[in-house]
Amino acid sequence: MSDGPFDVFALIIAVIAFIIAIKASSQAAELRRRLSSLEETFHAQRPVQPPRIPADVWAEASATSSAAPPPLVPQAEPGAEAPLPLVTEDVSPPPLAANTEADAPPLPAPAPGFEERLGTRWVVWIGGLALALGGFFMVRYSIEAGLVGPGVRVFLGGVFALALLGAGEWSRRKESISNIAALPIANIPAILTAAGTAVAFATIYAAYALYGFLVPATAFVLLGLVALGTLAAALLHGPALAGLGVVGAFVTPILVSSGKPDYWALYIYLAIVTAASFGLARIRLWRWLAVTTIAFAVLWIFPGLDTSDLQVAPHAFHVIAGFVLAALLVVCGFMFGPTIEDGEIEPVSSGSLGAYLFGAMLIVLSSAHVDLALIAFALLVGATLLVAWRAPAATGALGSAAATVFVVFAEWAVRANPDMLVLPGGPIAGIAPTATDSAVTLHLVMAAIFAAGFGIAGFLAQGRSNSAIIPVVWSVAAVATPIAILVALYARIAHLDRSIPFAILAVLLAAAFGAATEALARRETRPGAMISTALFATGTLGALALALTFALEKGWLTISLALMSLGTAWISMQRPIPFLRWLAAIFAGLVTARIGYDPRIVGDAVGTTPIFNWLLWGYGLPAASFWAASLFLRRRADDAPLRMVESAAILFTALLAFMEIRHFATGGDVTSAPLLLECALQACVALAMAIGLERLRQRSRSIVHNVGAVVLTVIGGLVGVFGLLILENPLLWRTDVGGAVFNLLLLGYALPAVLMLLLSYAVVGERGKAYANTIAGGALLFALAYVTLEIRRFYHGPILSAGATTGAEQYTYSIGWLGFGVVLLGVGILVNSERARLASAVVIALTILKAFVIDMSTLTGVYRALSFMCLGIVLVAIGWLYQRILFRRQVAPPPAPQTSM
């Protein structure tokens, strides 16, 4: 048999062992360094007592002292200790610098240099690795050279492993007896023991895989014993052996395999290994060991999930056993786990339970929701609630429990053949109930238990902790889990269609959340109480929204969600919970997203009746709801939620107008191309709404009203310029403009000019002069276009693009423009408007330009003469008006004649 697998696994085990040893030893070294630093600081701060001087030293000092006799010492009483004689020579006090240095803490030891690292650390690591590889290569050499038989080879490998283990234990005891402190990151006893366990693993595996001396069961047991022994030795030798032991223990089932896997034996073995590893992690407080164990345990769930004959029972045993062991030994503050401060969520405690919940969820999904898997999953979810109730450190596992519950029910909702649920229930005569029928019943029972368990526990957990995060997590799980389960059941059973029973369930759930909100609002203030109350209020409104979703059609759902925003804003006035304001904004966002998905609200069933169709209800009622909600929200503050609702109100008001105009102009076909009528109405409505928002923002000073007015002004201008003047201009395209006076020209050009003029006056003094003058310039442009097009309509009828331009028509254009300029001048004089007079000057300048460029070249005869004569008369009249009325100069009276005396 080839020895290739032997080499590969031997090298892998050795390298993994020493990598883990280096990492774990480095962590231990850091902890010991910190402890030594604390001890040195403590000793440095203790007061130093002067040492007691022996008597012989005192005698020597007396002999060498000066000739002066020592002072008399009083006679001591019998039985009393004789006092020490005093030194007669002058002893100068130590210098101040010495005292200062003695009182100061010692300087930290310098970092080890290259030579020290090489001699004390790297050599030890390389030596341990060399010992392990030496044992492997010796066995390989003996095979290649044929020196000894297979039995002797295995025996020698075992002897070498025992020798290394013995050397490690001897060196450990030797260091303990001699009080020699070993380097924490180059612990020679630990490295020798690690090499011995690695050789032991390789020897047993070689006896099984290479030579067939051991049956799979015996090899499995021996390798497991070595792994457990390595974990036990880690108590004495440190984390290096712990890493090697846990890796070897979980890799053993891969090394020893059989044709038909026995999952019961595998998972019982893994339960023993997990218990030993968790116990060691608990005793030594090695979090990394607990995390590594959990990761390997979860990975061992996957091999049996992809088989057609999935054995649910042993897999369920594996996750339940691991969950129980984690709860007993890993979770802080629960049973035998480490202690922790109250109110702190510990990641390993929560993650350990979440990992096994994830495993249970995988078993449920892989087994197609069989009853045993569902029951095991339900037990673990219930146990999670119990552990988190008793141990706040595991509160984070509630999120994992809620998430896995939702995944289980959501996957069940989208499984194939959901139509089986709407068929008449009950088994056929002579045939037992199918697995699907029982699974449906079990799912419904589990759904009720989960919803009640999370909701009731989340409500009762409020006020039990001094930390704010603990009750908030409970309230999130209590609100989100029942709603998620209800949505999954609705999708599975009602197929997302109208369902009055589910609407009733949603109303009952909303009532329960509402009662919880009222109860929490009446309690005394506790950490996290405000947020939890807001979350239950959110659940109330969310459940009501679901009830409307379940009971109403698509169009009414849009309306109901908008009304929910209004209701939430009103509730925020009665119960000033900050999150309710955000919830009102969230509902507004949902309605906006719903409109973006289908602007017609109800698809093709909009109707053909102008104004009074589904667009009025689908856009009008949400717009009214958002405007009313903004009034409620503004009473408290001008914040982001208010601005979001105000934006939605402006958006839906504009969309209502634009969609109704499009529906009216196209006869109900909202997908057809735009026409002149539609562009005219769109421009007029946009400008009218901009005027309204300009007036509104002067009172509210809202940035949303400010931006909305500018946006609508821009939209109106773009529709006017590109729609009315270019794309739908009746001079360029064949369009029937209608009657002589009341026609599309009046709607498309005269009315926008008036609205632009009003808008320009609305922004005077509120915005920049350039902004107002630009709008006024647009008004002048559209007014002049209206005059021109009306003259064209007089000569050509309703189709302006047909026919040639005659001399009379050209002359009429000049007279019309000139008259329009005179009217503007008169208005400017009457109301003393400089803007109107400047507009008049612009129109007259254009008339002059037309007269000299067009009329002179195209007109002949009397029309040319009359054109220039009228132009001259008007210009002279304008000059007279400016001199006599606008800029009249007062002539100074002549001086009075002087009379002589």
Side-chain angles (χ1 to χ4, degrees), residues 277-351:
S277 183
F278 281 168
L280 178 59
R282 171 63 185 90
I283 294 172
R284 301 299 294 267
L285 297 180
W286 289 339
R287 299 174 63 182
W288 66 268
L289 182 58
V291 173
T292 304
T293 304
I294 294 169
F296 276 114
V298 173
L299 289 176
W300 266 113
I301 300 176
F302 288 93
L305 295 181
D306 57 350
T307 58
S308 57
D309 54 343
L310 174 62
Q311 301 180 25
V312 176
H315 283 78
F317 166 78
H318 176 55
V319 294
I320 292 176
F323 185 95
V324 172
L325 291 173
L328 294 177
L329 299 173
V330 177
V331 176
C332 298
F334 184 80
M335 301 301 289
F336 307 109
T339 58
I340 196 173
E341 295 183 3
D342 185 24
E344 182 180 353
I345 299 179
E346 204 275 319
V348 176
S349 301
S350 302

Coordinates of all heavy atoms in Angstrom, one line a residue, residues 277-351:
S277 N -13.7 19.8 24.9 CA -13.2 21.1 24.4 C -13.9 22.3 25.1 O -13.2 23.2 25.5 CB -13.4 21.2 22.9 OG -12.8 22.4 22.4
F278 N -15.2 22.2 25.2 CA -15.9 23.3 25.9 C -15.5 23.4 27.4 O -15.3 24.4 28.0 CB -17.4 23.1 25.8 CG -18.0 23.5 24.5 CD1 -19.3 23.2 24.2 CD2 -17.3 24.3 23.6 CE1 -19.8 23.6 23.0 CE2 -17.8 24.7 22.4 CZ -19.1 24.3 22.1
G279 N -15.3 22.2 28.0 CA -14.8 22.2 29.4 C -13.5 22.8 29.5 O -13.2 23.6 30.5
L280 N -12.5 22.4 28.6 CA -11.2 23.0 28.7 C -11.3 24.5 28.5 O -10.6 25.3 29.1 CB -10.3 22.4 27.7 CG -8.9 22.9 27.6 CD1 -8.2 22.8 28.9 CD2 -8.1 22.2 26.5
A281 N -12.1 25.0 27.5 CA -12.2 26.4 27.2 C -12.8 27.1 28.4 O -12.4 28.3 28.7 CB -13.1 26.6 26.0
R282 N -13.7 26.5 29.1 CA -14.3 27.1 30.3 C -13.3 27.2 31.4 O -13.2 28.2 32.1 CB -15.5 26.3 30.8 CG -16.1 26.7 32.1 CD -16.6 28.1 32.1 NE -17.0 28.6 33.4 CZ -16.3 29.2 34.3 NH1 -15.0 29.4 34.0 NH2 -16.7 29.6 35.4
I283 N -12.5 26.2 31.6 CA -11.6 26.2 32.8 C -10.5 27.2 32.5 O -10.1 28.0 33.4 CB -10.9 24.8 32.9 CG1 -12.0 23.8 33.4 CG2 -9.8 24.8 33.9 CD1 -11.6 22.3 33.4
R284 N -9.9 27.2 31.3 CA -8.8 28.2 31.0 C -9.3 29.5 30.4 O -8.5 30.3 30.1 CB -7.9 27.5 30.0 CG -7.3 26.2 30.5 CD -6.4 26.4 31.8 NE -5.3 27.2 31.6 CZ -4.1 26.7 31.3 NH1 -3.9 25.4 31.2 NH2 -3.1 27.5 31.1
L285 N -10.6 29.6 30.2 CA -11.2 30.8 29.6 C -10.6 31.2 28.2 O -10.2 32.3 27.9 CB -11.0 32.0 30.6 CG -11.7 31.9 31.9 CD1 -11.5 33.2 32.7 CD2 -13.2 31.7 31.7
W286 N -10.5 30.1 27.4 CA -10.0 30.3 26.0 C -11.2 30.4 25.1 O -11.8 29.4 24.7 CB -9.1 29.1 25.6 CG -7.8 29.0 26.4 CD1 -7.2 30.0 27.0 CD2 -7.0 27.8 26.6 NE1 -6.0 29.6 27.5 CE2 -5.9 28.3 27.3 CE3 -7.1 26.5 26.2 CZ2 -4.9 27.4 27.7 CZ3 -6.1 25.6 26.6 CH2 -5.0 26.1 27.3
R287 N -11.5 31.6 24.7 CA -12.6 31.9 23.8 C -12.3 31.3 22.4 O -13.2 30.8 21.8 CB -12.9 33.4 23.7 CG -13.3 34.0 25.1 CD -13.4 35.5 25.0 NE -14.5 35.9 24.1 CZ -14.8 37.2 23.8 NH1 -14.1 38.1 24.3 NH2 -15.8 37.4 23.0
W288 N -11.1 31.4 22.0 CA -10.7 30.9 20.7 C -11.0 29.4 20.5 O -11.4 28.9 19.5 CB -9.3 31.2 20.4 CG -8.3 30.5 21.3 CD1 -7.7 30.9 22.4 CD2 -7.7 29.2 21.0 NE1 -6.9 30.0 23.0 CE2 -6.9 28.9 22.1 CE3 -7.9 28.2 20.0 CZ2 -6.2 27.7 22.2 CZ3 -7.2 27.0 20.1 CH2 -6.4 26.8 21.2
L289 N -10.8 28.7 21.6 CA -11.0 27.3 21.6 C -12.5 27.0 21.5 O -12.9 26.0 20.7 CB -10.4 26.6 22.9 CG -10.5 25.1 22.9 CD1 -9.9 24.4 21.8 CD2 -10.0 24.6 24.3
A290 N -13.3 27.7 22.2 CA -14.8 27.5 22.0 C -15.2 27.8 20.6 O -16.0 27.1 20.0 CB -15.5 28.4 23.1
V291 N -14.8 28.9 20.1 CA -15.2 29.3 18.7 C -14.7 28.3 17.7 O -15.5 27.9 16.8 CB -14.6 30.7 18.4 CG1 -14.9 31.0 16.9 CG2 -15.2 31.8 19.3
T292 N -13.5 27.8 17.8 CA -13.0 26.7 16.9 C -13.8 25.5 17.0 O -14.1 24.9 16.0 CB -11.5 26.4 17.2 OG1 -10.7 27.6 17.2 CG2 -10.9 25.4 16.3
T293 N -14.1 25.1 18.2 CA -15.0 23.9 18.4 C -16.3 24.0 17.7 O -16.8 23.1 17.0 CB -15.1 23.6 19.9 OG1 -13.8 23.5 20.5 CG2 -15.9 22.3 20.1
I294 N -17.0 25.2 17.9 CA -18.3 25.4 17.3 C -18.2 25.4 15.8 O -19.0 24.8 15.1 CB -18.8 26.8 17.8 CG1 -19.1 26.7 19.3 CG2 -20.1 27.1 17.1 CD1 -19.4 28.0 19.9
A295 N -17.1 26.0 15.3 CA -17.0 26.0 13.8 C -16.8 24.6 13.2 O -17.5 24.2 12.3 CB -15.8 26.9 13.4
F296 N -16.0 23.8 13.9 CA -15.8 22.4 13.4 C -17.1 21.6 13.6 O -17.5 20.8 12.7 CB -14.7 21.7 14.2 CG -13.4 22.0 13.6 CD1 -12.4 22.7 14.3 CD2 -13.0 21.5 12.4 CE1 -11.1 22.9 13.8 CE2 -11.7 21.7 11.8 CZ -10.8 22.4 12.6
A297 N -17.8 21.8 14.7 CA -19.1 21.1 14.9 C -20.1 21.4 13.9 O -20.9 20.5 13.4 CB -19.6 21.4 16.3
V298 N -20.2 22.7 13.5 CA -21.2 23.1 12.5 C -20.8 22.5 11.1 O -21.7 22.1 10.3 CB -21.4 24.6 12.4 CG1 -22.3 25.0 11.2 CG2 -22.0 25.1 13.7
L299 N -19.5 22.5 10.8 CA -19.1 22.0 9.5 C -19.4 20.5 9.4 O -19.6 20.0 8.3 CB -17.6 22.2 9.4 CG -17.1 23.6 9.1 CD1 -15.6 23.7 9.1 CD2 -17.7 24.2 7.8
W300 N -19.4 19.8 10.5 CA -19.7 18.3 10.5 C -21.2 18.0 10.2 O -21.6 16.9 10.0 CB -19.3 17.6 11.8 CG -17.9 17.1 11.7 CD1 -16.8 17.5 12.3 CD2 -17.5 16.0 10.9 NE1 -15.7 16.7 12.0 CE2 -16.1 15.8 11.1 CE3 -18.1 15.1 10.0 CZ2 -15.4 14.8 10.4 CZ3 -17.4 14.2 9.3 CH2 -16.0 14.0 9.6
I301 N -22.0 19.1 10.2 CA -23.4 18.9 9.8 C -23.6 18.6 8.3 O -24.4 17.9 7.8 CB -24.3 20.0 10.3 CG1 -24.2 20.2 11.8 CG2 -25.7 19.9 9.9 CD1 -24.9 21.4 12.3
F302 N -22.7 19.3 7.5 CA -22.9 19.3 6.0 C -22.7 17.9 5.4 O -23.4 17.7 4.4 CB -22.0 20.3 5.4 CG -22.4 21.7 5.7 CD1 -21.9 22.4 6.8 CD2 -23.3 22.4 4.9 CE1 -22.2 23.7 7.0 CE2 -23.6 23.7 5.1 CZ -23.1 24.4 6.2
P303 N -21.8 17.1 5.8 CA -21.5 15.9 5.0 C -22.8 15.0 4.8 O -22.9 14.4 3.7 CB -20.5 15.1 5.8 CG -19.7 16.2 6.5 CD -20.8 17.2 6.9
G304 N -23.7 14.9 5.7 CA -24.8 14.1 5.6 C -26.1 14.7 5.0 O -27.1 14.1 4.9
L305 N -26.0 16.0 4.7 CA -27.2 16.7 4.3 C -27.5 16.5 2.8 O -28.6 16.7 2.4 CB -27.1 18.2 4.6 CG -27.0 18.6 6.0 CD1 -26.8 20.2 6.1 CD2 -28.2 18.2 6.8
D306 N -26.5 16.2 2.0 CA -26.7 16.1 0.5 C -27.0 14.7 0.1 O -27.0 14.4 -1.1 CB -25.4 16.6 -0.2 CG -24.2 15.8 0.2 OD1 -24.3 15.0 1.2 OD2 -23.1 16.0 -0.4
T307 N -27.3 13.8 1.0 CA -27.7 12.5 0.6 C -29.2 12.4 0.5 O -30.0 13.1 1.1 CB -27.2 11.5 1.7 OG1 -27.7 11.8 2.9 CG2 -25.7 11.5 1.7
S308 N -29.6 11.4 -0.4 CA -31.1 11.2 -0.6 C -31.7 10.6 0.7 O -32.9 11.0 1.0 CB -31.3 10.4 -1.8 OG -30.6 9.1 -1.6
D309 N -31.0 9.7 1.3 CA -31.6 9.1 2.5 C -31.0 9.8 3.8 O -30.2 9.2 4.6 CB -31.3 7.6 2.6 CG -29.8 7.3 2.4 OD1 -29.0 8.3 2.0 OD2 -29.3 6.2 2.7
L310 N -31.4 11.0 4.0 CA -30.9 11.8 5.1 C -31.4 11.2 6.4 O -32.6 11.0 6.6 CB -31.4 13.3 5.0 CG -31.1 14.2 6.1 CD1 -29.6 14.3 6.3 CD2 -31.7 15.6 5.9
Q311 N -30.5 11.0 7.3 CA -30.8 10.4 8.6 C -31.0 11.6 9.6 O -30.0 12.2 10.1 CB -29.7 9.5 9.1 CG -29.4 8.3 8.2 CD -28.3 7.5 8.7 OE1 -28.0 7.4 9.9 NE2 -27.6 6.8 7.8
V312 N -32.2 11.9 9.8 CA -32.6 13.1 10.6 C -32.2 13.0 12.1 O -31.8 13.9 12.7 CB -34.1 13.5 10.4 CG1 -34.4 14.7 11.2 CG2 -34.3 13.8 8.9
A313 N -32.5 11.8 12.6 CA -32.3 11.6 14.0 C -30.9 11.9 14.5 O -30.7 12.6 15.5 CB -32.8 10.2 14.4
P314 N -29.9 11.3 13.9 CA -28.5 11.6 14.5 C -28.1 13.0 14.2 O -27.4 13.6 15.1 CB -27.6 10.6 13.7 CG -28.4 10.2 12.5 CD -29.8 10.2 12.9
H315 N -28.5 13.6 13.1 CA -28.2 15.0 12.9 C -28.9 15.9 14.0 O -28.3 16.8 14.5 CB -28.7 15.4 11.5 CG -27.7 15.0 10.4 ND1 -27.7 13.7 9.9 CD2 -26.8 15.6 9.7 CE1 -26.8 13.6 9.0 NE2 -26.2 14.7 8.8
A316 N -30.2 15.6 14.2 CA -30.9 16.3 15.3 C -30.2 16.2 16.6 O -30.0 17.1 17.4 CB -32.3 15.9 15.4
F317 N -29.7 14.9 16.9 CA -29.0 14.7 18.2 C -27.7 15.6 18.2 O -27.4 16.1 19.3 CB -28.6 13.2 18.3 CG -27.6 12.9 19.4 CD1 -28.0 12.9 20.7 CD2 -26.3 12.7 19.0 CE1 -27.0 12.7 21.7 CE2 -25.3 12.5 20.0 CZ -25.7 12.5 21.3
H318 N -27.0 15.7 17.1 CA -25.8 16.4 17.1 C -26.0 17.9 17.4 O -25.3 18.5 18.2 CB -25.1 16.3 15.7 CG -23.9 17.1 15.5 ND1 -22.8 17.0 16.3 CD2 -23.6 18.1 14.6 CE1 -21.9 17.9 15.9 NE2 -22.3 18.5 14.8
V319 N -27.0 18.5 16.8 CA -27.2 20.0 17.1 C -27.8 20.2 18.4 O -27.5 21.1 19.1 CB -28.1 20.6 16.0 CG1 -27.5 20.6 14.6 CG2 -29.5 19.9 15.9
I320 N -28.6 19.2 18.9 CA -29.2 19.4 20.3 C -28.1 19.2 21.3 O -28.0 20.0 22.3 CB -30.4 18.4 20.5 CG1 -31.5 18.8 19.6 CG2 -30.8 18.4 21.9 CD1 -32.7 17.8 19.6
A321 N -27.3 18.2 21.1 CA -26.2 18.0 22.1 C -25.2 19.2 22.1 O -24.8 19.7 23.2 CB -25.5 16.7 21.8
G322 N -24.9 19.7 20.9 CA -24.0 20.8 20.9 C -24.6 22.0 21.5 O -23.9 22.8 22.2
F323 N -25.9 22.3 21.3 CA -26.6 23.4 21.9 C -26.6 23.3 23.4 O -26.3 24.3 24.1 CB -28.0 23.5 21.3 CG -28.8 24.7 21.7 CD1 -28.9 25.8 20.9 CD2 -29.5 24.7 22.9 CE1 -29.6 26.9 21.3 CE2 -30.2 25.8 23.4 CZ -30.3 26.9 22.6
V324 N -26.9 22.1 23.9 CA -27.0 22.0 25.4 C -25.6 22.2 26.0 O -25.4 22.9 27.0 CB -27.5 20.6 25.7 CG1 -27.4 20.3 27.2 CG2 -29.0 20.4 25.3
L325 N -24.5 21.6 25.4 CA -23.2 21.8 25.9 C -22.8 23.3 25.8 O -22.1 23.8 26.8 CB -22.2 21.0 25.1 CG -22.3 19.4 25.3 CD1 -21.4 18.7 24.3 CD2 -22.0 19.1 26.7
A326 N -23.1 24.0 24.8 CA -22.8 25.4 24.7 C -23.5 26.2 25.7 O -23.0 27.1 26.4 CB -23.1 25.9 23.3
A327 N -24.8 25.9 26.0 CA -25.6 26.6 27.0 C -25.0 26.3 28.4 O -25.0 27.2 29.2 CB -27.0 26.1 26.9
L328 N -24.5 25.1 28.6 CA -24.0 24.7 30.0 C -22.7 25.3 30.2 O -22.4 25.8 31.3 CB -24.0 23.2 30.1 CG -25.4 22.5 30.1 CD1 -25.2 21.0 30.3 CD2 -26.2 23.0 31.3
L329 N -21.8 25.3 29.2 CA -20.4 25.6 29.5 C -19.9 26.9 28.8 O -18.8 27.4 29.3 CB -19.5 24.4 29.0 CG -19.7 23.1 29.6 CD1 -18.9 22.0 28.9 CD2 -19.4 23.1 31.1
V330 N -20.5 27.4 27.8 CA -20.0 28.5 27.0 C -20.8 29.8 27.4 O -20.2 30.9 27.5 CB -20.1 28.3 25.5 CG1 -19.6 29.5 24.7 CG2 -19.2 27.1 25.2
V331 N -22.1 29.7 27.5 CA -22.9 30.9 27.7 C -22.6 31.5 29.1 O -22.6 30.9 30.1 CB -24.4 30.6 27.6 CG1 -25.2 31.8 27.9 CG2 -24.7 30.1 26.2
C332 N -22.2 32.8 29.0 CA -21.8 33.5 30.3 C -23.1 33.7 31.1 O -24.1 34.2 30.7 CB -21.2 34.8 30.0 SG -19.6 34.7 29.0
G333 N -22.9 33.4 32.4 CA -24.0 33.7 33.4 C -25.1 32.7 33.4 O -26.1 32.9 34.1
F334 N -25.0 31.6 32.6 CA -26.0 30.6 32.6 C -25.3 29.2 33.0 O -24.4 28.7 32.3 CB -26.6 30.5 31.2 CG -27.8 29.5 31.1 CD1 -29.0 29.8 31.6 CD2 -27.6 28.2 30.6 CE1 -30.1 28.9 31.5 CE2 -28.6 27.3 30.5 CZ -29.9 27.7 30.9
M335 N -25.8 28.6 34.1 CA -25.3 27.4 34.6 C -23.8 27.5 34.9 O -23.4 28.2 35.7 CB -25.6 26.2 33.6 CG -27.1 26.0 33.3 SD -28.0 25.7 34.8 CE -27.5 24.0 35.2
F336 N -22.9 26.8 34.1 CA -21.5 26.7 34.5 C -20.6 27.6 33.6 O -19.4 27.5 33.6 CB -21.0 25.3 34.3 CG -21.8 24.3 35.0 CD1 -22.7 23.4 34.3 CD2 -21.8 24.2 36.4 CE1 -23.5 22.5 35.0 CE2 -22.6 23.3 37.1 CZ -23.4 22.4 36.4
G337 N -21.3 28.5 32.8 CA -20.5 29.4 32.0 C -19.8 30.5 32.8 O -20.1 30.7 34.0
P338 N -18.9 31.2 32.2 CA -18.2 32.3 32.9 C -19.1 33.4 33.3 O -20.2 33.5 32.8 CB -17.1 32.8 31.9 CG -17.1 31.7 30.8 CD -18.4 31.1 30.8
T339 N -18.7 34.2 34.3 CA -19.5 35.3 34.8 C -19.3 36.5 33.8 O -18.2 36.6 33.2 CB -19.1 35.7 36.2 OG1 -17.7 36.0 36.3 CG2 -19.4 34.5 37.1
I340 N -20.2 37.4 33.9 CA -20.1 38.6 33.0 C -21.0 39.7 33.7 O -21.9 39.4 34.5 CB -20.6 38.3 31.6 CG1 -20.2 39.4 30.7 CG2 -22.1 38.1 31.6 CD1 -20.5 39.1 29.2
E341 N -20.7 40.9 33.4 CA -21.4 42.0 33.9 C -22.9 42.0 33.4 O -23.1 41.6 32.3 CB -20.8 43.4 33.6 CG -19.4 43.6 34.2 CD -18.8 44.9 33.9 OE1 -19.5 45.7 33.2 OE2 -17.7 45.2 34.3
D342 N -23.8 42.4 34.3 CA -25.2 42.5 33.9 C -25.4 43.5 32.8 O -24.9 44.6 32.8 CB -26.0 42.8 35.1 CG -27.5 42.7 34.8 OD1 -27.9 42.0 33.9 OD2 -28.3 43.4 35.5
G343 N -26.3 43.0 31.8 CA -26.6 43.9 30.7 C -25.7 43.9 29.5 O -25.9 44.7 28.6
E344 N -24.7 43.1 29.5 CA -23.8 43.0 28.4 C -24.0 41.8 27.6 O -24.2 40.7 28.1 CB -22.3 42.9 28.9 CG -21.3 42.9 27.9 CD -19.8 42.9 28.4 OE1 -19.7 43.0 29.6 OE2 -18.9 42.7 27.6
I345 N -24.1 42.0 26.2 CA -24.3 40.9 25.3 C -22.9 40.4 24.8 O -22.2 41.2 24.3 CB -25.1 41.4 24.1 CG1 -26.5 41.9 24.5 CG2 -25.3 40.3 23.1 CD1 -27.4 42.4 23.4
E346 N -22.7 39.2 25.1 CA -21.4 38.6 24.9 C -21.4 37.9 23.5 O -22.3 37.0 23.3 CB -21.0 37.6 26.0 CG -19.5 37.4 26.1 CD -19.0 36.3 25.2 OE1 -19.7 35.3 25.1 OE2 -17.9 36.5 24.6
P347 N -20.5 38.2 22.6 CA -20.6 37.6 21.2 C -20.5 36.1 21.2 O -21.3 35.4 20.4 CB -19.4 38.3 20.5 CG -19.1 39.5 21.3 CD -19.4 39.2 22.7
V348 N -19.6 35.5 21.9 CA -19.4 34.0 21.9 C -20.6 33.3 22.4 O -21.1 32.3 21.9 CB -18.1 33.6 22.6 CG1 -18.0 32.1 22.6 CG2 -16.9 34.3 22.0
S349 N -21.2 33.9 23.5 CA -22.4 33.3 24.1 C -23.5 33.3 23.1 O -24.2 32.3 22.9 CB -22.8 34.0 25.4 OG -21.7 34.0 26.3
S350 N -23.8 34.4 22.5 CA -24.9 34.5 21.5 C -24.5 33.7 20.2 O -25.4 33.1 19.7 CB -25.1 36.0 21.2 OG -25.4 36.7 22.4
G351 N -23.3 33.8 19.8 CA -22.9 33.1 18.6 C -23.0 31.6 18.7 O -23.3 30.9 17.7

